[in-house]
Amino acid sequence: MDELAVNIGISIIRGSVALYDIITYPVYALIQKPWNQKKLINRTRAVELETEEGVCYHNADPPHPFQLELRQANINTVEAALSYACKKHTNKRAAGTRRILKETEEVQKNGKVFKKYELGDYSWLNYTEIDTMAENFGRGLRTVGHQPHENIIIFAETRVEWMVAAMGCFKQSIPLCTLYATLGDEAVIHGINETQVKHVITSHELLPKFKTLLDKCPNITHITYMTDQLQTTPLSGYKSTIDFNSFDQIVLKGKDSNFSGCPPREDDTAIIMYTSGSTGAPKGVVMSHYNLVNSIIGYAVGMDIRQDDIYLAYLPLAHVLELMAESMMMMFGVPMGYSTPLTMTDRSSKIKKGCQGDCTVLEPTMMAAVPLILDRIYKGILEKVASQGPWLTKLFEFGLEYKRNWMKRGWNTPICNWIVFRKIRKLLGGRLRMLAVGGAPLSSDTHDFIRISLGVPVMQGYGLTESCGCATLMDQYDLSTGRVGAPLQVCDVKLVNWEEGNYRITDKPRPRGEIVIGGANIAVGYYKNPEKTKEDFCDEDGRRWFRTGDIGEFDEDGSVKIIDRKKDLVKLQFGEYVSLGKVEAAIKISPVIENMCVYADSSKNNIVAIVSPVQKNLEDLAHGLGKEDLRREKLCLDDDVNKAILDELINIGKKAKLQRFELPGAVYLTSELWTPDTGLVTAAFKLKRKSIQVKYQDAINRMYAS
Ligand SMILES: *[C@@H]1O[C@H](CO)[C@@H](O)[C@H](O)[C@H]1NC(C)=O
Ligand SMILES: *[C@@H]1O[C@H](CO)[C@@H](O)[C@H](O)[C@H]1NC(C)=O
Ligand SMILES: *[C@@H]1O[C@H](CO)[C@@H](O)[C@H](O)[C@H]1NC(C)=O
Ligand SMILES: *[C@@H]1O[C@H](CO)[C@@H](O)[C@H](O)[C@H]1NC(C)=O
């Protein structure tokens, strides 16, 4: 169909829809009462407190009944909280895992062979079963010689055994040290060394890593591994002094033993969470039981959990966001279905063609996400729509615009939802009604797009490992983008001047400054690192505060906007400040970018970009330029391809209203993929700027020279 016909078609639809809107306006108004919604959209979310230094805001909502319930039950450790939940929800479904029916090898078009799964239904454990298993696991650790208050490491992917192991450790006052499953060998050794553990809990998939690691960790004597559903775990080729147990064996040993529980006190260490800092070795953040239980209670604000809610659990449990989310779900008795990013949807890479992904089977109503995942969903939807031709693309764009306009004014658009967005909602199962996102800044485009096309509130939050993931969270009525919501009840959020960066609390129109978080959720400090602890944490007005290094601004309703990061700010030759993170967030939405890092040399007047492109889109672009040889290495070095991509980046930057000096002056395409084991990104896929700069220094020099 040619463009003219498409445009005429869309105009006709536009006209008819406008007419329909006018005629049905009174009916919809009566049914939907949009003025109520409008009030919620514009309500005050936090109020200013008197304070000596800085500007401080406190949550404006009354406490949630659930918070009062826990306070009344006198619960002051996370162990007590989870036990309380299990006793309360006894026979309800707690956690589900899909059965693996078969593993097959699928030959791809390009000749590569991928392993794919045929997965069955979810099989569920109820709360009583989880609690009993955790209790036995904890006692089982005692039978193999583990003492209360003696560290243990967990190094495994997200699965139900992870959570059960954590609960088991809590019951015996064993501090659980968490390491990301994607962490590089060196970082793992560092964690094992620093915590002086002799026992590691890991999984079938990760166990082989220890063949080489063990030589560098002579003190390890015990390894407990979570088994695979299909394969037995080979145990040969390791040092003979290691005592191996499967997860189930430990549970059995615990069942047959007569060790009793050793419940923690509130100031005992619950978790030492290793965060892969963007510079240097990972730091262990010490979280007490008191910290964690307060964070869980803090998150309960504004959660309206329903009877039929189901949670999709797939983010790394070694990340505080997921750990808190899953603990919360347990408190409310929400069933959690475990999943992985590789099996989430029907089109996920490990799902056999024609088989159902986890979302389709589970039909979750709630999930947490990191921006990286939402960016992928965004690009995926756009590609899928574009592949259906210009007609549907235009219709889709019209639907987006139509729904956005009505939503802003407090209306819902049921017919448009059904016609335009029904299929897209199906992608994540079709019942999703709440999505929380955190861990890194979410671009406004992605935020807006996901909210409209999936038809769910996308609640962006802000928090750090050091604040147990808590600081601010948007409520479900908040339709803004670029904000992270108001302070949660458990903590106050304060801004203080950062003179060097020119951010002051006296700034007009709104106060700006470094974000400092204070409350019961603020961690004890960094493990075995008193200097760094002293630098970032302090006690004041009877509570603990943490200086985040992030720069924020308070909106009038008490919500916070993250506008900068101390480390990310570079002053250019003529005195303009460039925020690298902001530029990246704006430009990264280009479908050709898998990952990017911008670099700014303060002796120059522009920035340059290093980009790792998406293979398929790179090929398409090169094909469009008439290139024959589509090998990645070749294309990355090709001048025309480079130019085309640079133009695209500049265009996107201009559309996002970046300043001239914030637009890249040159781009370097790298054929390398940035995964955590390259050392260029952290396990949470945050850029490690320094490592990237060192690795690509030559390319940077050439870009600035050209
Ligand atoms: C929950 O688990 C317990 C212990 O295995 C079992 O006795 C009970 O029947 C289960 N409840 C339901 C509803 O399945
Ligand atoms: C282990 O820690 C000690 C200090 O506690 C340090 O001297 C040593 O270099 C570390 N070893 C490794 C392999 O990190
Ligand atoms: C290993 O164990 C010994 C003896 O308990 C202890 O002194 C040493 O610090 C431990 N080393 C590590 C790296 O944990
Ligand atoms: C259980 O306790 C009894 C005495 O109370 C003791 O004799 C026995 O060895 C214990 N069993 C185990 C498996 O620890």
Side-chain angles (χ1 to χ4, degrees):
M1 211 182 311
D2 67 8
E3 209 178 314
L4 183 65
V6 170
N7 285 339
I8 292 177
I10 289 292
S11 301
I12 293 174
I13 291 180
R14 226 176 248 282
S16 331
V17 169
L19 192 62
Y20 171 85
D21 284 345
I22 293 170
I23 296 171
T24 56
Y25 190 94
V27 181
Y28 273 111
L30 274 179
I31 298 176
Q32 296 194 1
K33 303 197 176 51
W35 44 89
N36 289 340
Q37 194 73 10
K38 192 89 200 271
K39 237 186 265 165
L40 288 168
I41 295 176
N42 294 328
R43 76 202 185 93
T44 297
R45 297 180 160 88
V47 291
E48 194 175 336
L49 294 180
E50 290 279 330
T51 163
E52 280 172 29
E53 178 211 20
V55 177
C56 189
Y57 271 74
H58 181 78
N59 190 290
D61 290 335
H64 190 282
F66 168 76
Q67 298 176 315
L68 301 175
E69 179 187 329
L70 286 195
R71 299 255 184 247
Q72 241 155 37
N74 227 344
I75 284 172
N76 52 12
T77 65
V78 62
E79 188 268 334
L82 294 177
S83 299
Y84 175 84
C86 291
K87 302 247 149 41
K88 180 170 167 188
H89 303 302
T90 53
N91 280 329
K92 279 184 92 171
R93 294 185 300 175
T97 307
R98 287 186 82 180
R99 290 223 175 77
I100 303 176
L101 303 177
K102 214 157 116 195
E103 196 177 45
T104 54
E105 293 190 336
E106 209 173 86
V107 184
Q108 305 295 303
K109 264 188 248 152
N110 58 11
K112 283 195 189 137
V113 178
F114 282 154
K115 286 217 161 111
K116 305 263 171 166
Y117 285 138
E118 260 177 65
L119 297 171
D121 219 337
Y122 272 91
S123 72
W124 293 91
L125 291 168
N126 67 33
Y127 277 88
T128 307
E129 288 168 312
I130 293 262
D131 199 32
T132 311
M133 200 193 284
E135 192 166 324
N136 288 336
F137 184 81
R139 299 200 314 198
L141 292 178
R142 300 289 304 275
T143 65
V144 297
H146 212 98
Q147 297 299 320
H149 308 291
E150 181 185 355
N151 291 341
I152 196 166
I153 276 190
I154 189 162
F155 176 60
E157 305 83 0
T158 294
R159 49 195 276 181
V160 60
E161 288 92 338
W162 201 112
M163 203 62 192
V164 172
M167 290 166 67
C169 290
F170 294 159
K171 283 173 190 286
Q172 296 291 341
S173 298
I174 296 173
L176 185 69
C177 312
T178 67
L179 296 174
Y180 277 88
T182 48
L183 218 52
D185 287 356
E186 237 170 86
V188 174
I189 294 169
H190 171 79
I192 291 175
N193 188 20
E194 189 167 86
T195 51
Q196 295 187 303
V197 295
K198 57 179 213 256
H199 195 153
V200 173
I201 305 168
T202 185
S203 67
H204 171 85
E205 289 79 12
L206 292 171
L207 186 59
K209 265 181 176 270
F210 284 89
K211 276 196 177 144
T212 50
L213 279 181
L214 280 176
D215 289 338
K216 302 206 176 101
C217 310
N219 280 14
I220 301 259
T221 52
H222 289 78
I223 293 185
T224 298
Y225 58 93
M226 307 169 188
T227 50
D228 185 73
Q229 287 193 34
L230 298 180
Q231 286 149 11
T232 52
T233 308
L235 297 176
S236 59
Y238 298 90
K239 269 197 315 195
S240 60
T241 47
I242 305 282
D243 180 14
F244 281 102
N245 284 287
S246 71
F247 184 89
D248 299 335
Q249 278 164 345
I250 293 285
V251 171
L252 270 183
K253 283 183 179 170
K255 196 172 165 203
D256 294 338
S257 81
N258 44 16
F259 281 103
S260 52
C262 175
R265 287 179 321 210
E266 65 175 15
D267 53 357
D268 281 338
T269 299
I271 289 195
I272 300 174
M273 184 169 276
Y274 276 87
T275 65
S276 42
S278 37
T279 50
K283 291 179 295 211
V285 177
V286 180
M287 306 170 172
S288 68
H289 275 270
Y290 174 76
N291 293 149
L292 285 179
V293 76
N294 277 290
S295 307
I296 294 172
I297 295 176
Y299 259 120
V301 182
M303 281 290 187
D304 89 289
I305 305 276
R306 299 184 191 159
Q307 277 302 313
D308 60 348
D309 271 327
I310 295 185
Y311 178 75
L312 182 83
Y314 70 98
L315 287 177
L317 268 167
H319 191 300
V320 68
L321 177 68
E322 181 68 15
L323 185 66
M324 286 296 108
E326 291 191 23
S327 306
M328 266 271 305
M329 294 306 146
M330 291 189 64
M331 297 312 300
F332 282 101
V334 175
M336 306 185 283
Y338 281 89
S339 172
T340 72
L342 300 179
T343 56
M344 222 158 96
T345 69
D346 296 354
R347 286 152 39 104
S348 290
S349 59
K350 275 218 152 185
I351 294 290
K352 193 175 166 227
K353 236 200 178 100
C355 291
Q356 291 185 321
D358 301 337
C359 282
T360 310
V361 177
L362 187 70
E363 298 188 338
T365 60
M366 294 190 281
M367 63 188 271
V370 291
L372 183 82
I373 299 227
L374 296 188
D375 284 339
R376 278 198 192 141
I377 294 178
Y378 176 25
K379 288 176 190 174
I381 294 175
L382 278 190
E383 267 167 33
K384 188 142 194 222
V385 170
S387 72
Q388 315 230 331
W391 190 189
L392 278 169
T393 310
K394 282 271 182 202
L395 185 67
F396 181 78
E397 282 166 7
F398 171 64
L400 277 179
E401 178 197 316
Y402 178 81
K403 186 163 173 192
R404 183 183 298 122
N405 283 335
W406 282 108
M407 238 166 73
K408 265 196 310 223
R409 287 179 271 155
W411 298 73
N412 196 357
T413 54
I415 295 183
C416 172
N417 294 354
W418 198 79
I419 296 179
V420 184
F421 301 117
R422 181 183 32 143
K423 275 210 179 128
I424 293 174
R425 266 181 74 73
K426 273 275 172 218
L427 201 70
L428 294 180
R431 283 187 63 218
L432 199 67
R433 66 174 194 90
M434 212 186 279
L435 209 158
V437 49
L442 175 66
S443 86
S444 292
D445 262 8
T446 307
H447 195 162
D448 190 55
F449 181 90
I450 297 281
R451 178 189 282 147
I452 294 176
S453 57
L454 290 179
V456 290
V458 176
M459 296 154 39
Q460 186 170 200
Y462 168 76
L464 305 98
T465 311
E466 290 86 344
S467 66
C468 297
C470 274
T472 67
L473 182 66
M474 289 172 81
D475 64 40
Q476 52 180 319
Y477 310 107
D478 189 344
L479 294 182
S480 61
T481 59
R483 309 197 306 173
V484 293
L488 290 160
Q489 276 183 339
V490 61
C491 57
D492 292 342
V493 171
K494 189 159 80 170
L495 297 182
V496 297
N497 287 343
W498 183 39
E499 302 289 346
E500 205 182 316
N502 230 350
Y503 291 112
R504 295 193 182 79
I505 54 171
T506 48
D507 283 349
K508 295 284 171 255
R510 302 292 310 160
R512 305 189 296 178
E514 179 178 2
I515 298 175
V516 185
I517 311 167
N521 58 318
I522 300 301
V524 177
Y526 297 115
Y527 191 57
K528 293 192 178 165
N529 195 343
E531 297 88 40
K532 185 90 181 110
T533 302
K534 208 161 160 214
E535 218 173 276
D536 295 346
F537 293 84
C538 69
D539 291 298
E540 230 177 76
D541 323 325
R543 59 178 140 174
R544 203 154 173 77
W545 295 85
F546 175 69
R547 306 178 71 97
T548 62
D550 289 321
I551 307 298
E553 174 181 323
F554 276 121
D555 253 350
E556 274 169 51
D557 67 347
S559 290
V560 177
K561 235 189 251 171
I562 309 290
I563 50 178
D564 213 332
R565 174 144 186 86
K566 269 186 173 178
K567 290 193 199 108
D568 279 1
L569 205 69
V570 182
K571 193 171 171 185
L572 293 182
Q573 190 186 13
F574 298 126
E576 301 107 333
Y577 279 99
V578 179
S579 161
L580 306 177
K582 177 182 134 195
V583 171
E584 281 155 0
I587 295 183
K588 219 168 47 188
I589 57 168
S590 159
V592 79
I593 297 178
E594 176 77 37
N595 222 323
M596 84 177 294
C597 176
V598 299
Y599 176 81
D601 181 335
S602 15
S603 67
K604 300 289 189 331
N605 61 9
N606 67 352
I607 62 169
V608 295
I610 304 159
V611 167
S612 172
V614 174
Q615 182 60 20
K616 179 170 173 304
N617 298 343
L618 175 68
E619 283 174 14
D620 289 352
L621 180 137
H623 194 72
L625 293 170
K627 301 288 163 191
E628 309 256 300
D629 187 347
L630 294 183
R631 273 175 305 163
R632 187 174 172 87
E633 293 73 21
K634 264 271 164 43
L635 292 181
C636 284
L637 294 175
D638 190 287
D639 284 343
D640 299 335
V641 172
N642 263 269
K643 170 132 194 354
I645 290 186
L646 180 60
D647 287 346
E648 153 133 352
L649 302 192
I650 291 175
N651 264 332
I652 291 181
K654 280 185 182 158
K655 268 195 214 147
K657 305 215 167 54
L658 293 185
Q659 304 279 325
R660 191 193 42 77
F661 59 86
E662 292 175 312
L663 299 173
V667 66
Y668 173 76
L669 302 180
T670 169
S671 54
E672 191 164 359
L673 293 170
W674 294 355
T675 52
D677 37 298
T678 59
L680 299 175
V681 292
T682 69
F685 286 89
K686 284 191 192 152
L687 299 176
K688 289 185 165 179
R689 297 194 184 280
K690 192 73 200 164
S691 315
I692 294 174
Q693 184 204 335
V694 169
K695 175 160 174 114
Y696 296 105
Q697 192 63 57
D698 287 348
I700 291 171
N701 294 345
R702 268 184 317 222
M703 280 192 278
Y704 272 125
S706 68

